[in-house]
Short mmCIF file of all heavy atoms in Angstrom, two decimals:
data_model
loop_
_atom_site.label_atom_id
_atom_site.label_comp_id
_atom_site.label_asym_id
_atom_site.label_seq_id
_atom_site.Cartn_x
_atom_site.Cartn_y
_atom_site.Cartn_z
N ASN B 98 107.79 150.06 50.48
CA ASN B 98 108.04 151.24 49.65
C ASN B 98 108.89 150.91 48.43
O ASN B 98 108.61 151.39 47.33
CB ASN B 98 108.75 152.32 50.47
CG ASN B 98 107.88 152.87 51.57
OD1 ASN B 98 106.65 152.79 51.49
ND2 ASN B 98 108.49 153.40 52.60
N LEU B 154 110.11 169.30 44.08
CA LEU B 154 109.40 168.43 45.03
C LEU B 154 109.13 169.16 46.34
O LEU B 154 108.06 168.99 46.94
CB LEU B 154 110.21 167.15 45.29
CG LEU B 154 110.31 166.18 44.11
CD1 LEU B 154 111.17 164.98 44.47
CD2 LEU B 154 108.93 165.71 43.67
N LYS B 158 105.34 170.23 47.78
CA LYS B 158 105.13 169.36 48.96
C LYS B 158 105.01 167.89 48.54
O LYS B 158 104.13 167.17 49.00
CB LYS B 158 103.89 169.80 49.73
CG LYS B 158 103.97 171.22 50.26
CD LYS B 158 103.22 171.36 51.56
CE LYS B 158 103.50 172.64 52.31
NZ LYS B 158 104.08 173.77 51.57
N LEU B 159 105.91 167.47 47.67
CA LEU B 159 105.86 166.10 47.18
C LEU B 159 107.04 165.27 47.70
O LEU B 159 107.29 164.16 47.23
CB LEU B 159 105.88 166.08 45.65
CG LEU B 159 104.58 166.54 44.99
CD1 LEU B 159 104.78 166.76 43.51
CD2 LEU B 159 103.49 165.51 45.23
N MET B 160 107.78 165.84 48.67
CA MET B 160 108.90 165.10 49.23
C MET B 160 108.38 163.94 50.06
O MET B 160 107.25 163.98 50.57
CB MET B 160 109.74 166.02 50.12
CG MET B 160 110.53 167.06 49.37
SD MET B 160 111.90 166.35 48.47
CE MET B 160 113.19 166.47 49.70
N ASP B 161 109.23 162.93 50.23
CA ASP B 161 108.91 161.79 51.08
C ASP B 161 107.60 161.11 50.65
O ASP B 161 106.72 160.85 51.46
CB ASP B 161 108.81 162.26 52.54
CG ASP B 161 109.08 161.12 53.51
OD1 ASP B 161 109.72 160.14 53.08
OD2 ASP B 161 108.63 161.19 54.65
N ASN B 162 107.50 160.86 49.35
CA ASN B 162 106.27 160.32 48.79
C ASN B 162 106.63 159.28 47.73
O ASN B 162 107.39 159.56 46.80
CB ASN B 162 105.51 161.52 48.18
CG ASN B 162 104.25 161.13 47.46
OD1 ASN B 162 104.17 160.09 46.80
ND2 ASN B 162 103.26 161.98 47.58
N SER B 163 106.13 158.06 47.90
CA SER B 163 106.51 156.97 46.99
C SER B 163 106.16 157.26 45.55
O SER B 163 106.90 156.91 44.63
CB SER B 163 105.83 155.67 47.41
OG SER B 163 106.38 155.20 48.60
N PHE B 164 104.99 157.90 45.36
CA PHE B 164 104.56 158.12 43.98
C PHE B 164 105.46 159.14 43.28
O PHE B 164 105.86 158.92 42.13
CB PHE B 164 103.10 158.58 43.94
CG PHE B 164 102.59 158.71 42.54
CD1 PHE B 164 102.36 157.57 41.77
CD2 PHE B 164 102.37 159.96 41.98
CE1 PHE B 164 101.90 157.68 40.47
CE2 PHE B 164 101.93 160.08 40.67
CZ PHE B 164 101.69 158.93 39.91
N SER B 165 105.82 160.22 43.96
CA SER B 165 106.70 161.19 43.30
C SER B 165 108.08 160.58 43.07
O SER B 165 108.74 160.86 42.06
CB SER B 165 106.79 162.51 44.06
OG SER B 165 107.04 162.30 45.41
N LEU B 166 108.52 159.71 43.98
CA LEU B 166 109.80 159.04 43.77
C LEU B 166 109.72 158.15 42.52
O LEU B 166 110.66 158.10 41.72
CB LEU B 166 110.19 158.21 45.00
CG LEU B 166 111.60 157.63 44.99
CD1 LEU B 166 112.64 158.74 44.96
CD2 LEU B 166 111.85 156.72 46.18
N LEU B 240 117.94 161.39 48.64
CA LEU B 240 117.66 162.82 48.62
C LEU B 240 116.20 163.14 48.91
O LEU B 240 115.90 164.13 49.56
CB LEU B 240 118.01 163.40 47.24
CG LEU B 240 119.45 163.75 46.96
CD1 LEU B 240 119.60 164.21 45.52
CD2 LEU B 240 119.92 164.86 47.90
N PHE B 241 115.30 162.31 48.39
CA PHE B 241 113.89 162.72 48.37
C PHE B 241 113.03 162.02 49.39
O PHE B 241 111.82 162.25 49.44
CB PHE B 241 113.30 162.50 46.96
CG PHE B 241 114.04 163.23 45.87
CD1 PHE B 241 114.14 162.69 44.59
CD2 PHE B 241 114.63 164.46 46.10
CE1 PHE B 241 114.83 163.35 43.59
CE2 PHE B 241 115.32 165.13 45.11
CZ PHE B 241 115.42 164.57 43.84
N THR B 242 113.57 161.09 50.19
CA THR B 242 112.73 160.45 51.21
C THR B 242 113.38 160.62 52.57
O THR B 242 114.60 160.75 52.68
CB THR B 242 112.54 158.95 50.95
OG1 THR B 242 113.79 158.29 51.13
CG2 THR B 242 112.02 158.68 49.54
N SER B 243 112.56 160.63 53.61
CA SER B 243 113.12 160.87 54.93
C SER B 243 112.43 160.10 56.05
O SER B 243 112.87 160.16 57.19
CB SER B 243 113.06 162.37 55.24
OG SER B 243 111.74 162.83 55.05
N SER B 244 111.35 159.39 55.76
CA SER B 244 110.68 158.67 56.84
C SER B 244 110.13 157.36 56.30
O SER B 244 110.27 157.04 55.13
CB SER B 244 109.53 159.50 57.40
OG SER B 244 108.44 159.43 56.52
N LYS B 245 109.44 156.64 57.17
CA LYS B 245 108.91 155.35 56.75
C LYS B 245 107.82 155.50 55.70
O LYS B 245 107.41 154.51 55.09
CB LYS B 245 108.40 154.56 57.96
CG LYS B 245 107.20 155.13 58.67
CD LYS B 245 106.77 154.13 59.73
CE LYS B 245 105.78 154.58 60.75
NZ LYS B 245 104.71 155.47 60.47
N ASN B 246 107.37 156.73 55.44
CA ASN B 246 106.38 156.95 54.38
C ASN B 246 106.90 156.51 53.02
O ASN B 246 106.14 156.02 52.20
CB ASN B 246 106.03 158.44 54.28
CG ASN B 246 105.22 158.88 55.47
OD1 ASN B 246 104.55 158.07 56.10
ND2 ASN B 246 105.31 160.16 55.80
N ALA B 247 108.17 156.76 52.76
CA ALA B 247 108.66 156.52 51.40
C ALA B 247 110.07 155.97 51.33
O ALA B 247 110.51 155.56 50.28
CB ALA B 247 108.58 157.82 50.59
N MET B 248 110.80 155.97 52.45
CA MET B 248 112.18 155.47 52.44
C MET B 248 112.24 154.08 51.83
O MET B 248 111.44 153.21 52.18
CB MET B 248 112.69 155.37 53.87
CG MET B 248 113.56 156.49 54.30
SD MET B 248 114.22 155.96 55.89
CE MET B 248 115.24 157.32 56.31
#
Side-chain angles (χ1 to χ4, degrees):
Chain B
N98 293 337
L154 291 178
K158 300 212 167 19
L159 288 168
M160 289 288 269
D161 205 22
N162 176 323
S163 289
F164 185 71
S165 48
L166 189 62
L240 278 176
F241 303 147
T242 67
S243 53
S244 77
K245 67 174 168 36
N246 290 335
M248 259 189 179

